Amino acid sequence: MSSEIKEVLPKQGVLYQEDMPTVVLCKPKLLPLKSVTLEKMEKMQKDAQDLVKKQEMEEKTIGHSNLPSFS
């Protein structure tokens, strides 16, 4: 007896093979809209702008008090 199995192909009819790929689902990952670094940089920029505005306001108030009055 031989241990080989012979392959048999049909000569009539339709031959098809069902291939069911397995899909692996994982939990969705939530990504931040802005990166932490970008948020830090924006905060630094906003703080710098606020400081400049504050300094400008102080200069205006000091500048007005040093002007001579024309009464």
Side-chain angles (χ1 to χ4, degrees), residues 4 6 9 12 14 23 25 28 30-31 34-36 43 45-46 49 52-53 61 65-66 69:
E4 288 183 37
K6 249 183 151 175
L9 295 174
Q12 282 185 329
V14 179
V23 178
L25 298 176
L30 297 176
L31 298 175
K34 292 184 179 179
S35 69
V36 175
K43 184 181 181 306
Q45 185 177 13
K46 184 180 179 297
Q49 287 175 344
V52 168
K53 284 181 184 178
T61 57
S65 63
N66 289 341
S69 59

Side-chain angles (χ1 to χ4, degrees), residues 13-71:
V14 179
L15 176 66
Y16 68 95
Q17 179 180 357
E18 225 175 284
D19 187 22
M20 298 291 290
T22 57
V23 178
V24 178
L25 298 176
C26 61
K27 291 182 179 179
K29 294 180 176 109
L30 297 176
L31 298 175
L33 295 176
K34 292 184 179 179
S35 69
V36 175
T37 307
L38 180 61
E39 287 179 354
K40 285 181 183 177
M41 290 183 70
E42 285 179 343
K43 184 181 181 306
M44 286 172 53
Q45 185 177 13
K46 184 180 179 297
D47 291 344
Q49 287 175 344
D50 291 344
L51 182 63
V52 168
K53 284 181 184 178
K54 182 180 174 186
Q55 288 175 349
E56 287 176 353
M57 291 298 291
E58 287 176 358
E59 287 176 6
K60 285 181 182 178
T61 57
I62 292 171
H64 288 301
S65 63
N66 289 341
L67 290 176
S69 59
F70 297 104
S71 316

